[in-house]
């Protein structure tokens, strides 16, 4: 039964307020990977943590912070939604290696090495040239491995991602992207990348963001589940999970911030275009977090076993994080 | 026996390196309250934490971080020196109430509301006018009470300190200062302040900094112990402890940083003067942390009971911190 499972959404950046926390609880989701920052510096990241501390203080009947997987099980038991944090970019560490551990202690469990553009660590998926992992990037990967911070390459370019998989002594993830073979977007991932990633114990979270899906906002639940089934045949269901990329109730200015940060004077449209600059239309079967229940059903209907579905809907994230968050001895 | 006791030095700002950590271990001290920052902003405080993380990583055979008093007992058991952090000023929270909890989570257990000058929270002991605790200051006191961060008024002015004692719902401390009755320095504390502080369960740590002592660098061990004995008669030995203010191996530029930060174009000489701008000469019986053993003996010689001496040398700090660091339910 859906309500008995551990359900994990491996990426959201919604408009966080009490009404939304209520809707999360109602949806039956156990834990959500929340994007804490996109382009914020170390100092600005502290303010985001402070805002979330206030959310936790004022909504303690609905949400709880997650530092370990015990917190996820405890959230489930208490009927609350666990929240764990990731950064979609390496901006929280500025240019300082020591901030990896500082941010990890504050609860930044996951960090992307790049967000679309070249970063101090590696190359993003929208750059023309992918020069791979930088000198600083190698140090940061080693430090993330040491302190138990998860490396996420969702918005990184091909070569950088392959190098990160190789350089990391621990499995890494792509928290929210789909196979290029299903839909050829710059943000999606090649067979070579997914094979390398999963071959080293890594995890792929399927994205529900229409720009990442075959037929965009018209992608059917069946087509989505077929994409997952194909990936399970190719890479093994135990490496698959969900990262919805849901940006519920967010205004256009947030989309602009995600795409442009402070780096562009002219508007960059990211996966959209000048004539299609807004948020994509929602999938009818995934309008919000409640849609996870449709996916649960859809995956069973397409032939996944109960255990496989429980894995993809949450247990695979839990197992992956449990191993990855433990600091090295 | 000295080596069986829990010995706590309630304030140091020494030059932290492996040789110094070795000397701390050799001295038999169990835990040290380390000043993490004087004038550093929130962002700069992160770099200080990062530097300390590296100290802990590289000197794990000598020092361990202290977040709770269990860590102090564990340090004692393992023969290591526990390190806990405080700020001598409120600069780590910038102007942001939410940073109290953020800094507490990183391990800032103690924070002074002011350092000599007017701060955003209260008035320092060198100002002409003491306008008391500010609007922001009242909010911060309540927040520190909530999250379990200790309020320290060592460098604050009289009225501000009395107001902080009243406003705080939990006992506060003066980690390093002496009674004015023993020596009339701006940094020392009136009978009224110490009576109010200890009357509410607060703690006074005696300073070994010569500028705070009768006869300065010529203060005898006996005179120091007499000062403690007089205070014990007046306020009760259970409220007394040590905060040596030891700044071992620090160059003149560190003294200038403490005194001037970034606020003064002309040199401010603090407790010194233009003709006496340097560090004061060390006390012969307290040249470094090993001197705590002399105080242990001196306090027994002057008539304190074993239990009182154990309290003043460490147990009183432990009891005070244990209660004060627990977040409010």
């Amino acid at each position: 039964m859906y309500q008995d499972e551990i359900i994990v959404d491996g990426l959201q950046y919604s408009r966080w307020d009490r009404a939304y926390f209520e809707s999360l609880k109602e949806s039956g989701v156990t834990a959500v990977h929340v994007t804490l920052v996109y382009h914020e510096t170390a100092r600005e990241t502290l303010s985001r943590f402070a805002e979330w501390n206030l959310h936790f203080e004022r909504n303690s009947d609905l949400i709880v912070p997650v530092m370990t997987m015990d917190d996820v099980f405890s959230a489930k038991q208490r009927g609350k939604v666990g929240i764990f944090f990731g950064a979609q970019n390496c901006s929280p560490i500025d240019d300082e290696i020591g901030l990896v551990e500082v941010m990890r202690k504050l609860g930044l469990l996951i960090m992307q090495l790049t967000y679309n553009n070249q970063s101090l660590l590696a190359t993003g998926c929208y750059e023309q040239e992918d020069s791979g992992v930088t000198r600083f990037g190698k140090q940061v990967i080693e430090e993330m491995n040491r302190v138990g911070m998860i490396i996420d390459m969702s918005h990184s370019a091909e070569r950088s991602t392959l190098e990160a998989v190789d350089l990391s002594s621990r499995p890494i993830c792509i928290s929210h992207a789909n196979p290029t073979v299903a839909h050829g977007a710059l943000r999606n991932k090649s067979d070579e990348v997914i094979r390398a990633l999963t071959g080293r114990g890594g995890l792929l979270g399927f994205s529900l963001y229409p720009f990442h899906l075959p037929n965009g906002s018209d992608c059917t639940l069946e087509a989505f589940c077929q994409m997952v089934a194909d990936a399970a045949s190719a890479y093994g269901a135990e490496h698959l999970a969900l990262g919805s990329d849901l940006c519920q109730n967010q205004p256009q200015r947030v989309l602009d911030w995600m795409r442009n940060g402070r780096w562009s004077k002219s508007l960059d449209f990211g996966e959209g275009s000048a004539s299609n600059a807004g948020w994509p239309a929602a999938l009818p079967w995934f309008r919000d977090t409640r849609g996870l229940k449709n996916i649960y059903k859809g995956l069973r209907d397409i032939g996944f076993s109960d255990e496989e579905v429980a894995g993809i809907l949450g247990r695979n994230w839990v197992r992956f994080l449990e191993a990855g968050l433990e600091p090295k001895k």
Side-chain angles (χ1 to χ4, degrees), chain A residues 94-156:
Chain A
D94 292 351
D95 60 354
E96 191 169 338
I97 186 73
L99 294 198
V100 173
E101 187 169 3
V102 168
M103 290 294 163
R104 177 65 180 81
K105 284 191 175 166
L106 282 173
L108 193 73
L109 305 191
I110 300 172
M111 188 172 80
Q112 289 194 48
L113 302 194
T114 71
Y115 186 78
N116 298 345
N117 289 3
Q118 179 68 40
S119 78
L120 295 184
L121 309 182
T123 304
C125 60
Y126 284 14
E127 293 285 358
Q128 290 282 341
E129 295 292 329
D130 178 1
S131 48
V133 174
T134 66
R135 281 153 47 96
F136 183 32
K138 288 172 189 169
Q139 301 261 352
V140 170
I141 287 172
E142 192 178 340
E143 182 70 356
M144 291 173 78
N145 286 162
R146 186 181 73 83
V147 304
M149 186 189 280
I150 306 286
I151 296 164
D152 184 353
M153 298 302 277
S154 293
H155 285 258
S156 300

Side-chain angles (χ1 to χ4, degrees), chain A residues 168-274:
Chain A
S168 177
S169 62
R170 308 176 77 163
I172 75 173
C173 78
I174 290 170
S175 64
H176 60 303
N178 295 326
T180 306
V181 66
H183 177 62
L186 278 172
R187 269 277 280 105
N188 283 341
K189 304 302 171 190
S190 73
D191 172 66
E192 190 183 351
V193 160
I194 305 175
R195 197 167 295 281
L197 177 94
T198 55
R200 301 281 280 271
L203 180 140
L204 173 69
F206 287 92
S207 167
L208 280 301
Y209 193 53
F211 283 126
H212 305 155
L213 291 169
N215 291 315
S217 299
D218 295 325
C219 179
T220 63
L221 175 59
E222 294 68 30
F224 178 83
C225 292
Q226 189 59 54
M227 173 174 71
V228 179
D230 293 345
S233 301
Y235 316 114
E238 70 275 21
H239 299 296
L240 307 181
L242 299 174
S244 73
D245 212 359
L246 190 68
C247 298
Q248 199 79 8
N249 309 327
Q250 292 283 32
Q252 179 68 31
R253 65 171 174 74
V254 165
L255 187 58
D256 292 342
W257 166 249
M258 288 158 59
R259 288 172 172 172
N260 294 279
R262 286 176 285 240
W263 64 272
S264 179
K265 284 176 75 172
S266 58
L267 270 185
D268 182 86
F269 298 103
E271 293 153 314
S273 61

